Short mmCIF file of all heavy atoms in Angstrom, two decimals:
data_model
loop_
_atom_site.label_atom_id
_atom_site.label_comp_id
_atom_site.label_asym_id
_atom_site.label_seq_id
_atom_site.Cartn_x
_atom_site.Cartn_y
_atom_site.Cartn_z
N TYR A 35 92.45 58.97 101.97
CA TYR A 35 91.20 59.24 102.71
C TYR A 35 91.43 59.25 104.20
O TYR A 35 90.82 60.09 104.88
CB TYR A 35 90.20 58.18 102.41
CG TYR A 35 89.60 58.28 100.92
CD1 TYR A 35 90.27 57.55 99.90
CD2 TYR A 35 88.71 59.12 100.51
CE1 TYR A 35 89.86 57.64 98.64
CE2 TYR A 35 88.25 59.32 99.24
CZ TYR A 35 88.83 58.51 98.20
OH TYR A 35 88.47 58.59 96.96
N GLU A 36 92.17 58.37 104.77
CA GLU A 36 92.47 58.28 106.20
C GLU A 36 93.24 59.54 106.66
O GLU A 36 92.95 60.16 107.59
CB GLU A 36 93.25 57.01 106.48
CG GLU A 36 92.44 55.79 106.29
CD GLU A 36 93.34 54.45 106.48
OE1 GLU A 36 94.59 54.59 106.20
OE2 GLU A 36 92.72 53.45 106.71
N VAL A 37 94.26 59.95 105.79
CA VAL A 37 95.07 61.11 106.13
C VAL A 37 94.18 62.29 106.13
O VAL A 37 94.26 63.22 107.00
CB VAL A 37 96.21 61.23 105.11
CG1 VAL A 37 97.01 62.57 105.40
CG2 VAL A 37 97.17 60.06 105.27
N ALA A 38 93.35 62.48 105.08
CA ALA A 38 92.44 63.64 104.99
C ALA A 38 91.50 63.74 106.16
O ALA A 38 91.33 64.81 106.74
CB ALA A 38 91.71 63.57 103.68
N ALA A 39 90.95 62.60 106.49
CA ALA A 39 90.02 62.64 107.61
C ALA A 39 90.67 63.02 108.94
O ALA A 39 90.18 63.79 109.74
CB ALA A 39 89.35 61.26 107.80
N ALA A 40 91.91 62.45 109.21
CA ALA A 40 92.59 62.72 110.38
C ALA A 40 93.05 64.11 110.47
O ALA A 40 93.11 64.77 111.60
CB ALA A 40 93.84 61.78 110.46
N LEU A 41 93.49 64.68 109.37
CA LEU A 41 94.04 66.08 109.41
C LEU A 41 92.94 67.24 109.05
O LEU A 41 93.18 68.35 109.02
CB LEU A 41 95.23 66.22 108.39
CG LEU A 41 96.36 65.35 108.81
CD1 LEU A 41 97.50 65.52 107.79
CD2 LEU A 41 96.89 65.62 110.26
N LYS A 42 91.68 66.64 108.78
CA LYS A 42 90.61 67.59 108.43
C LYS A 42 90.89 68.49 107.25
O LYS A 42 90.76 69.67 107.29
CB LYS A 42 90.21 68.47 109.67
CG LYS A 42 89.69 67.57 110.73
CD LYS A 42 89.26 68.39 111.99
CE LYS A 42 88.61 67.65 113.09
NZ LYS A 42 89.02 66.41 113.49
N VAL A 43 91.37 67.94 106.14
CA VAL A 43 91.55 68.49 104.88
C VAL A 43 90.88 67.74 103.81
O VAL A 43 90.50 66.59 104.03
CB VAL A 43 93.04 68.71 104.60
CG1 VAL A 43 93.78 69.56 105.52
CG2 VAL A 43 93.79 67.40 104.46
N ALA A 44 90.82 68.28 102.59
CA ALA A 44 90.18 67.53 101.51
C ALA A 44 91.10 66.48 101.02
O ALA A 44 92.33 66.61 100.99
CB ALA A 44 89.82 68.61 100.36
N VAL A 45 90.47 65.30 100.59
CA VAL A 45 91.21 64.28 100.01
C VAL A 45 92.02 64.76 98.83
O VAL A 45 93.21 64.42 98.64
CB VAL A 45 90.33 63.11 99.62
CG1 VAL A 45 91.12 61.96 99.04
CG2 VAL A 45 89.59 62.58 100.86
N SER A 46 91.46 65.60 98.04
CA SER A 46 92.17 66.10 96.80
C SER A 46 93.36 66.83 97.19
O SER A 46 94.38 66.82 96.40
CB SER A 46 91.14 66.99 95.99
OG SER A 46 90.73 68.14 96.74
N SER A 47 93.34 67.59 98.36
CA SER A 47 94.51 68.29 98.79
C SER A 47 95.74 67.26 99.04
O SER A 47 96.80 67.50 98.62
CB SER A 47 94.27 69.09 99.99
OG SER A 47 93.36 70.13 99.69
N VAL A 48 95.36 66.27 99.73
CA VAL A 48 96.42 65.22 100.03
C VAL A 48 96.91 64.58 98.80
O VAL A 48 98.17 64.44 98.66
CB VAL A 48 95.78 64.12 100.97
CG1 VAL A 48 96.86 63.00 101.27
CG2 VAL A 48 95.33 64.70 102.30
N ILE A 49 96.09 64.22 97.89
CA ILE A 49 96.45 63.61 96.69
C ILE A 49 97.42 64.59 95.80
O ILE A 49 98.39 64.23 95.22
CB ILE A 49 95.27 63.20 95.81
CG1 ILE A 49 94.54 62.02 96.54
CG2 ILE A 49 95.65 62.84 94.42
CD1 ILE A 49 93.13 61.72 95.96
N LYS A 50 97.03 65.85 95.82
CA LYS A 50 97.80 66.95 95.04
C LYS A 50 99.10 67.02 95.71
O LYS A 50 100.08 67.24 95.04
CB LYS A 50 96.99 68.21 94.95
CG LYS A 50 95.88 68.08 93.97
CD LYS A 50 95.06 69.40 93.98
CE LYS A 50 93.86 69.30 93.14
NZ LYS A 50 92.95 70.47 93.17
N TRP A 51 99.25 67.08 97.00
CA TRP A 51 100.43 67.33 97.69
C TRP A 51 101.42 66.10 97.40
O TRP A 51 102.61 66.39 97.08
CB TRP A 51 100.31 67.36 99.20
CG TRP A 51 99.48 68.62 99.71
CD1 TRP A 51 99.29 69.77 98.99
CD2 TRP A 51 98.82 68.83 100.90
NE1 TRP A 51 98.49 70.57 99.72
CE2 TRP A 51 98.19 70.06 100.85
CE3 TRP A 51 98.55 67.94 101.94
CZ2 TRP A 51 97.43 70.54 101.89
CZ3 TRP A 51 97.78 68.41 103.03
CH2 TRP A 51 97.18 69.76 102.98
N ALA A 52 100.92 64.88 97.34
CA ALA A 52 101.66 63.71 97.16
C ALA A 52 102.15 63.79 95.63
O ALA A 52 103.39 63.54 95.45
CB ALA A 52 100.88 62.48 97.40
N ALA A 53 101.34 64.11 94.75
CA ALA A 53 101.75 64.25 93.41
C ALA A 53 102.77 65.35 93.21
O ALA A 53 103.78 65.22 92.40
CB ALA A 53 100.53 64.53 92.42
N ARG A 54 102.60 66.47 93.84
CA ARG A 54 103.58 67.64 93.75
C ARG A 54 104.89 67.12 94.35
O ARG A 54 105.96 67.47 93.83
CB ARG A 54 103.10 68.76 94.54
CG ARG A 54 103.87 70.03 94.39
CD ARG A 54 103.21 71.29 94.95
NE ARG A 54 103.95 72.46 94.85
CZ ARG A 54 104.08 73.20 93.77
NH1 ARG A 54 103.41 72.85 92.77
NH2 ARG A 54 104.87 74.17 93.76
N LYS A 55 104.90 66.38 95.42
CA LYS A 55 106.17 65.86 95.96
C LYS A 55 106.82 64.95 95.04
O LYS A 55 108.08 65.04 94.84
CB LYS A 55 105.83 65.10 97.33
CG LYS A 55 106.94 64.39 97.94
CD LYS A 55 107.80 65.31 98.78
CE LYS A 55 108.84 64.37 99.50
NZ LYS A 55 109.65 65.05 100.39
N ARG A 56 106.10 64.03 94.35
CA ARG A 56 106.70 63.18 93.38
C ARG A 56 107.29 63.94 92.15
O ARG A 56 108.35 63.61 91.67
CB ARG A 56 105.77 62.10 92.91
CG ARG A 56 105.37 60.98 93.91
CD ARG A 56 104.56 59.93 93.16
NE ARG A 56 103.29 60.36 92.64
CZ ARG A 56 102.20 60.51 93.28
NH1 ARG A 56 102.12 60.21 94.55
NH2 ARG A 56 101.03 60.87 92.72
N ARG A 57 106.54 64.96 91.74
CA ARG A 57 106.91 65.65 90.52
C ARG A 57 108.09 66.61 90.75
O ARG A 57 108.99 66.72 89.92
CB ARG A 57 105.66 66.44 89.99
CG ARG A 57 105.90 67.01 88.61
CD ARG A 57 104.62 67.58 88.03
NE ARG A 57 104.27 68.85 88.83
CZ ARG A 57 103.27 69.09 89.50
NH1 ARG A 57 102.37 68.13 89.76
NH2 ARG A 57 103.07 70.23 90.15
N LEU A 58 108.03 67.30 91.92
CA LEU A 58 108.96 68.42 92.04
C LEU A 58 110.04 68.15 93.24
O LEU A 58 110.91 68.95 93.39
CB LEU A 58 108.19 69.75 92.46
CG LEU A 58 107.28 70.21 91.32
CD1 LEU A 58 106.55 71.44 91.85
CD2 LEU A 58 108.06 70.58 90.05
#
Side-chain angles (χ1 to χ4, degrees):
Y35 291 94
E36 293 169 338
V37 173
L41 298 177
K42 294 182 175 42
V43 296
V45 177
S46 62
S47 293
V48 175
I49 293 169
K50 288 176 186 176
W51 296 338
R54 186 172 180 83
K55 171 85 175 187
R56 282 191 304 273
R57 191 176 71 245
L58 301 176

